[in-house]
Amino acid sequence: MTRTELRDGVFLTEIEDKRFKKQEILISLSAPLTRETLTQSALLTYMFARGTRDLPDMTLLARRLAYLYGAQLTRGASSYGFCRAVYAWIDGIVPRCSPEQSLTGDYVRIALDTLFDPTLKDGEFDSEWTKIEKQKLADAIAAEYDSKRYYCFTETMARFFGEADVRSLPDCGLISDLASITPRSLAEYYRALTENARVEIVSIGERIDRSLFDGIAPRLSPEISKPIPVKPRETERLEISDQVNQQKITMCYTTGRMLDFKERAAFHVGSALFGGVQSSRLFMKIREKKGLCYSCGAAPELLSGILTVDGGVAFGKEQRFVDSVERELGSIARGHISKRELHEAKLALKGALMGAEDNSQALMRWYYGQIAAGQELLSPSDYIADVERVTADEVAAAMSELHLNVIGSFARGNA
Amino acid sequence: MTQIIASSAVDERVYKTVLDNGLTVLVCERPDRVGANAVLAVGVGSASASYEENGHRVSYPAGTAHFLEHMMFAGRKTDAMTEFARLGSACNAFTAVEKTCYTASANNNILPSVDALIRFVAEPYFTERRVRRERSIIGEEISMYADNVYWQLVNGGMSLIYHNHPCRDDIAGNSESISQITAETLYQAYRAFYRPSSMTLSVSGRVKNEEILELAERILGSKPHADAHTSFPVDEPLHVVADSKQIFMPVGMTQCAIFYKEPPIDNNRLPTEMLVDIILDTVFGETTDFYRIMYDSGLINQSFSTQIFVGESHFCTALTGETPNPEKLRDAINNEIERVKQNGLDRDRFAEVVRSRYGDEILDFDSNSDIAYSMAALSMRGHGPFDVLEMLKTVAIEDADKLIQNLFVRDRSAMLIIKPIERI
């Protein structure tokens, strides 16, 4: 892995790996996450789907991608802590698997044109297209409600961060913001973003010609705030209800402080042991032994010491589920960790990290996640060494700091 | 005897061996990879509810194949989760209409993990106590899928077009059917369906063919050869059950599934399935003017997609997505089908879709998990691992134009609509 600053505010991270048949290229514009620009950034990625100056409508763009052996172009806007990243992620077969040799150049050009040369008319986005894409984004926001488990999770996380914290805002934006966005205001936001945002380019697969990025101007990369911890507070409950067949539960925990490198590995192992792998307490005790749920798990946010648990349980078993989760977490925090379960959690985590080395998409998520969060870049192998050094005492210490701030529940209503 | 099948297009070689008892073993050696993935596929799925034996019909409750899948990891001395945790690898399983797949993903202890996967499937151990506990977990799984909108769209659509075929039933069964399943039911079903001749072991990654063959021979080699049971013939008319149906769920906006029931494909299903997939994309995919017109008119959004469901005695296609006006969308789709039937498929679009599929196939040979699954799935249908790639080289628009004339018949279609219920 190499990381180079091509010019001010423009970074290229390359993972050259000739084993892969898939080339992955992600180009992102990173800026501070703000309430004012959240929905604009989400809508912008919908406008990107309309085409580029070279391929000025969505059909031509789709046909070009199909011609390039079905290359996939994903445009999106995601929040990473206080960073908002607007990105174009393209993947397709590597040149050696096709008679054409220029595929990688084509991929780069499409991703660059998507971000830097979208279809604009007289400096504005097309008004009809803007109207159409606003409706599509509204549809997508409405569809967030379809997966009740995900909806319960996002609503509970929003409560966890609190209204004043921009991290409580949904990735897809807010429907209430859409009406005020005009083709002109969107173009103005777009120009400000492309001129100022930090540019991150990540490529996995074959080496790419760096001159393809010559057109990206240097920029004053904006300062993005580092994540801050969520302070522990009295546990509150969020109740959502509708006509569902199974109750969904999300539990949000915080350590209340940022974790350093060593603590992060211990927190990661602790989260795996608690609910991140098949041998975990949540899987083995709550699902397999008690049969309380079909699916439940725990996921950590390592930097700011946050842990979420989510699952689906039968009606009437919510409290039993919550009590069981709390009991298992308490037991780990008190240091009741057997040598065997610690070894197995580390082994499973190590296996998952090693597996990322075999999968270009997993590698992209691994590296880009660190880049977007402003972390020092570690390869999966580097991180394995940190994981292997973790002791049971360190796990217990990390998990003992967790405090349950919010329990969210999506239950059956009476309608 | 081991056969070596190679493809220069993806630069991979696959070793294929059929043991004396009929078990097929496929190995894709990839020494430059860190780990390996294994799939043990068994030719039993939710559609295998009935079979014929000595002139009698033997039937199992709906959801039996799926229940077996859950129970297979129970184990006599230890369960699979404990065993795989010890090895630092992961196991999983899923049941489909015509097959059940058990999978292992290992980056540590690769051979012991493949060994464990085969052993758990080879040595079933069911107790009434464990069956009771698993029934509760499966009950939660059924509830989870009852809240899954796409699942309801597809299952609901299937039950609108199929009168009797078991593909209309939920793969997991229902609370009543799973309450009838006992340890004895599972043993009977295991003996009936889990026969080496209907199993394929497929492994891709940092393994050697001889090592995998040794494991397969040692654990499954002593199981006697027995022909797989054939499913009891289903009396399924070509007409649909109902033209349309509307249900209500807590969803963000209205969505629909438009199904077309097609005559079952008797032999060599793969080329037809591949061609229908290409036709669907050529007519309705993102590269078409139809897609853009529907998208811009607001009748579809990014959720619009097409699917094919093909099995031994069923074949249907579906177009699904969110729409404010399902009836208008259905009319537009039917009109487009008639237009294409009259004018023929767009030659350029067809060629682009074929290139796109070719790229997809190449990428199916990138990750170990995709390779292991793809090899098993194709083998179970009598095909080699690279057959789709080869077929794509010779696919002809003339065949597609001919095929489409008999597909997507309005009178053999049905539409399921899911409307939002008023939020509480």
Side-chain angles (χ1 to χ4, degrees):
Chain A
M1 188 272 294
T2 58
R3 182 164 168 82
T4 317
E5 185 165 14
L6 296 177
R7 58 199 66 92
D8 288 349
V10 183
F11 299 86
L12 171 65
T13 306
E14 281 185 292
I15 296 101
E16 190 181 358
D17 194 330
K18 293 200 168 137
R19 296 173 309 153
F20 296 130
K21 296 185 177 74
K22 190 191 269 189
Q23 182 80 36
E24 310 256 5
I25 299 160
L26 187 151
I27 307 177
S28 77
L29 302 168
S30 299
L33 169 64
T34 69
R35 168 72 184 75
E36 294 71 32
T37 57
L38 172 88
T39 309
Q40 284 178 313
S41 62
L43 181 59
L44 190 59
T45 66
Y46 279 69
M47 296 306 296
F48 287 159
R50 301 300 316 200
T52 65
R53 190 160 58 174
D54 276 357
L55 299 163
D57 79 50
M58 61 193 291
T59 308
L60 286 173
L61 177 56
R63 292 184 67 180
R64 182 70 184 148
L65 291 166
Y67 185 80
L68 294 171
Y69 297 98
Q72 299 289 318
L73 176 64
T74 309
R75 315 105 179 145
S78 293
S79 306
Y80 298 82
F82 292 104
C83 169
R84 183 71 167 167
V86 172
Y87 61 85
W89 179 355
I90 191 163
D91 65 64
I93 61 173
V94 291
R96 71 182 147 83
C97 290
S98 83
E100 292 89 346
Q101 291 304 308
S102 62
L103 284 175
T104 308
D106 287 324
Y107 299 154
V108 172
R109 271 187 287 275
I110 288 175
L112 281 173
D113 287 354
T114 298
L115 290 177
F116 293 100
D117 217 352
T119 313
L120 290 167
K121 289 174 187 164
D122 302 324
E124 289 184 14
F125 286 104
D126 180 90
S127 59
E128 185 60 25
W129 286 358
T130 308
K131 189 176 154 195
I132 290 167
E133 295 308 327
K134 279 166 77 171
Q135 183 56 50
K136 301 304 175 200
L137 177 55
D139 289 355
I141 294 172
E144 295 274 297
Y145 189 62
D146 290 0
S147 166
K148 302 299 175 285
R149 189 163 162 184
Y150 179 70
Y151 187 80
C152 180
F153 179 83
T154 52
E155 291 291 303
T156 310
M157 288 303 282
R159 182 67 67 90
F160 174 75
F161 285 115
E163 260 182 45
D165 190 324
V166 288
R167 290 174 296 176
S168 68
L169 298 168
D171 256 2
C172 58
L174 299 162
I175 221 155
S176 55
D177 288 354
L178 277 172
S180 63
I181 301 176
T182 65
R184 180 180 296 250
S185 68
L186 190 61
E188 282 166 3
Y189 161 70
Y190 166 70
R191 269 190 290 277
L193 180 73
T194 46
E195 282 166 17
N196 299 317
R198 188 178 76 225
V199 177
E200 290 285 357
I201 304 156
V202 186
S203 168
I204 297 175
E206 298 190 1
R207 186 169 281 277
I208 46 181
D209 176 6
R210 291 184 179 195
S211 70
L212 290 163
F213 305 116
D214 285 350
I216 306 176
R219 66 246 351 276
L220 287 171
S221 193
E223 190 67 30
I224 296 170
S225 308
K226 294 279 179 201
I228 52 169
V230 174
K231 294 291 170 202
R233 58 179 189 264
E234 192 177 335
T235 306
E236 65 174 306
R237 283 189 179 257
L238 170 71
E239 307 278 348
I240 311 164
S241 62
D242 209 328
Q243 293 182 35
V244 288
N245 294 283
Q246 182 191 61
Q247 190 155 356
K248 324 295 175 191
I249 296 173
T250 303
M251 299 164 75
C252 297
Y253 291 87
T254 181
T255 55
R257 65 183 188 86
M258 304 300 289
L259 304 180
D260 65 27
F261 264 124
K262 199 175 169 192
E263 289 171 325
R264 270 178 232 163
F267 189 52
H268 203 168
V269 173
S271 306
L273 188 152
F274 171 55
V277 295
Q278 274 182 354
S279 60
S280 70
R281 298 275 182 100
L282 292 188
F283 195 90
M284 297 304 283
K285 297 208 167 170
I286 295 182
R287 177 192 140 124
E288 291 292 295
K289 197 171 171 190
K290 294 184 178 166
L292 271 176
C293 59
Y294 167 70
S295 168
C296 63
E301 203 284 90
L302 301 176
L303 227 59
S304 36
I306 294 168
L307 183 77
T308 51
V309 173
D310 85 311
V313 299
F315 298 113
K317 291 185 180 172
E318 179 201 6
Q319 197 52 48
R320 217 179 133 204
F321 176 83
V322 169
D323 291 344
S324 303
V325 169
E326 284 276 86
R327 197 174 307 122
E328 292 308 326
L329 186 58
S331 146
I332 295 167
R334 286 191 299 278
H336 299 157
I337 302 164
S338 70
K339 272 187 187 165
R340 181 177 150 178
E341 70 177 334
L342 179 67
H343 168 74
E344 289 177 353
K346 285 159 76 169
L347 199 59
L349 204 49
K350 189 177 141 194
L353 290 161
M354 287 162 73
E357 302 270 17
D358 270 351
N359 184 312
S360 58
Q361 199 171 26
L363 267 188
M364 178 63 86
R365 291 190 192 286
W366 169 261
Y367 282 109
Y368 188 70
Q370 294 178 74
I371 290 168
Q375 288 177 255
E376 187 188 327
L377 290 190
L378 283 179
S379 70
S381 315
D382 294 337
Y383 189 58
I384 285 171
D386 290 346
V387 165
E388 281 182 335
R389 282 190 289 270
V390 169
T391 66
D393 287 345
E394 288 167 344
V395 167
M399 303 306 273
S400 68
E401 291 187 48
L402 286 168
H403 175 84
L404 180 57
N405 271 19
V406 191
I407 303 172
S409 151
F410 198 129
R412 184 184 288 162
N414 297 318
Chain B
M1 179 164 161
T2 297
Q3 181 190 357
I4 299 174
I5 312 162
S7 164
S8 56
V10 289
D11 192 23
E12 302 287 359
R13 287 200 315 172
V14 173
Y15 296 84
K16 178 181 178 181
T17 313
V18 180
L19 304 190
D20 290 344
N21 61 14
L23 173 76
T24 301
V25 181
L26 296 153
V27 179
C28 186
E29 292 185 357
R30 307 180 89 206
D32 61 348
R33 301 290 156 148
V34 177
N37 285 69
V39 174
L40 182 50
V42 188
V44 57
S46 60
S48 319
S50 304
Y51 62 88
E52 198 173 334
E53 192 170 49
N54 304 326
H56 296 290
R57 181 179 181 146
V58 181
S59 294
Y60 290 93
T64 299
H66 176 258
F67 211 124
L68 259 179
E69 173 231 296
H70 270 244
M71 290 296 294
M72 209 56 76
F73 282 157
R76 184 181 293 272
K77 287 181 187 161
T78 183
D79 61 74
M81 303 306 161
T82 306
E83 178 69 2
F84 278 83
R86 189 182 66 78
L87 296 168
S89 50
C91 61
N92 209 339
F94 67 89
T95 307
V97 175
E98 291 186 334
K99 61 177 174 285
T100 306
C101 292
Y102 299 89
T103 67
S105 169
N107 299 299
N108 305 293
N109 295 311
I110 293 172
L111 281 180
S113 300
V114 180
D115 181 303
L117 180 77
I118 306 172
R119 266 191 297 107
F120 276 102
V121 179
E123 299 161 8
Y125 181 66
F126 312 136
T127 62
E128 290 301 340
R129 191 174 164 206
R130 180 70 209 206
V131 166
R132 276 197 301 277
R133 192 170 58 199
E134 207 59 36
R135 193 177 290 129
S136 155
I137 294 172
I138 292 171
E140 282 312 308
E141 186 181 2
I142 292 170
S143 296
M144 183 180 82
Y145 282 114
D147 286 335
N148 183 307
V149 183
Y150 180 75
W151 193 261
Q152 293 307 314
L153 208 53
V154 170
N155 263 23
M158 286 288 198
S159 63
L160 270 187
I161 60 170
Y162 286 101
H163 297 256
N164 306 311
H165 196 283
C167 69
R168 73 194 301 281
D169 298 326
D170 195 308
I171 284 170
N174 52 60
S175 54
E176 192 192 328
S177 70
I178 64 170
S179 72
Q180 297 162 21
I181 296 171
T182 63
E184 186 49 35
T185 318
L186 296 174
Y187 275 121
Q188 281 174 11
Y190 180 85
R191 285 192 290 270
F193 295 114
Y194 281 61
R195 300 175 169 195
S197 58
S198 61
M199 290 181 182
T200 299
L201 173 67
S202 169
V203 187
S204 171
R206 199 183 186 87
V207 292
K208 287 191 176 149
N209 180 51
E210 309 87 74
E211 297 167 338
I212 300 299
L213 269 182
E214 190 276 322
L215 290 180
E217 282 276 13
R218 179 160 51 79
I219 305 167
L220 283 167
S222 59
K223 290 207 173 230
H225 178 277
D227 288 333
H229 281 295
T230 47
S231 297
F232 199 82
V234 179
D235 179 20
E236 180 62 49
L238 201 48
H239 64 271
V240 298
V241 177
D243 181 70
S244 67
K245 186 182 173 184
Q246 189 168 286
I247 60 172
F248 290 85
M249 281 183 76
V251 291
M253 65 180 287
T254 300
Q255 28 206 302
C256 74
I258 300 157
F259 275 78
Y260 292 90
K261 187 175 187 180
E262 311 293 359
I265 310 164
D266 293 332
N267 295 306
N268 200 13
R269 298 190 315 244
L270 190 63
T272 306
E273 184 182 344
M274 187 185 73
L275 205 51
V276 173
D277 178 46
I278 292 168
I279 290 171
L280 279 168
D281 219 5
T282 307
V283 180
F284 301 113
E286 285 183 43
T287 62
T288 65
D289 295 330
F290 174 82
Y291 181 93
R292 195 191 59 246
I293 292 165
M294 292 296 104
Y295 183 92
D296 285 350
S297 72
L299 273 180
I300 62 170
N301 59 27
Q302 293 92 334
S303 66
F304 184 70
S305 66
T306 60
Q307 289 90 33
I308 307 174
F309 304 94
V310 190
E312 200 173 295
S313 52
H314 73 281
F315 171 26
C316 64
T317 52
L319 296 95
T320 62
E322 295 162 352
T323 180
N325 193 334
E327 288 79 12
K328 201 170 169 187
L329 176 61
R330 187 180 188 184
D331 285 344
I333 287 169
N334 281 322
N335 290 341
E336 181 64 5
I337 289 166
E338 286 313 309
R339 190 191 68 76
V340 174
K341 281 183 179 178
Q342 277 183 13
N343 302 342
L345 291 155
D346 183 295
R347 198 163 276 275
D348 291 340
R349 258 67 172 231
F350 184 83
E352 285 157 6
V353 170
V354 171
R355 278 175 71 99
S356 178
R357 289 292 177 279
Y358 187 80
D360 292 346
E361 277 304 307
I362 297 270
L363 294 182
D364 262 357
F365 284 88
D366 198 26
S367 82
N368 286 329
S369 58
D370 286 348
I371 295 174
Y373 176 72
S374 166
M375 289 196 305
L378 284 166
S379 171
M380 294 189 84
R381 297 172 62 178
H383 288 281
F386 308 113
D387 283 5
V388 176
L389 267 176
E390 291 306 310
M391 284 177 199
L392 280 166
K393 288 178 185 166
T394 57
V395 69
I397 192 168
E398 292 74 20
D399 293 336
D401 274 328
K402 199 172 152 193
L403 180 61
I404 198 175
Q405 298 303 323
N406 301 315
L407 300 175
F408 313 117
V409 176
R410 170 68 181 82
D411 292 344
R412 293 198 310 251
S413 78
M415 176 164 69
L416 183 87
I417 303 167
I418 296 182
K419 289 207 156 186
I421 50 173
E422 202 175 312
R423 287 216 199 156
I424 298 164

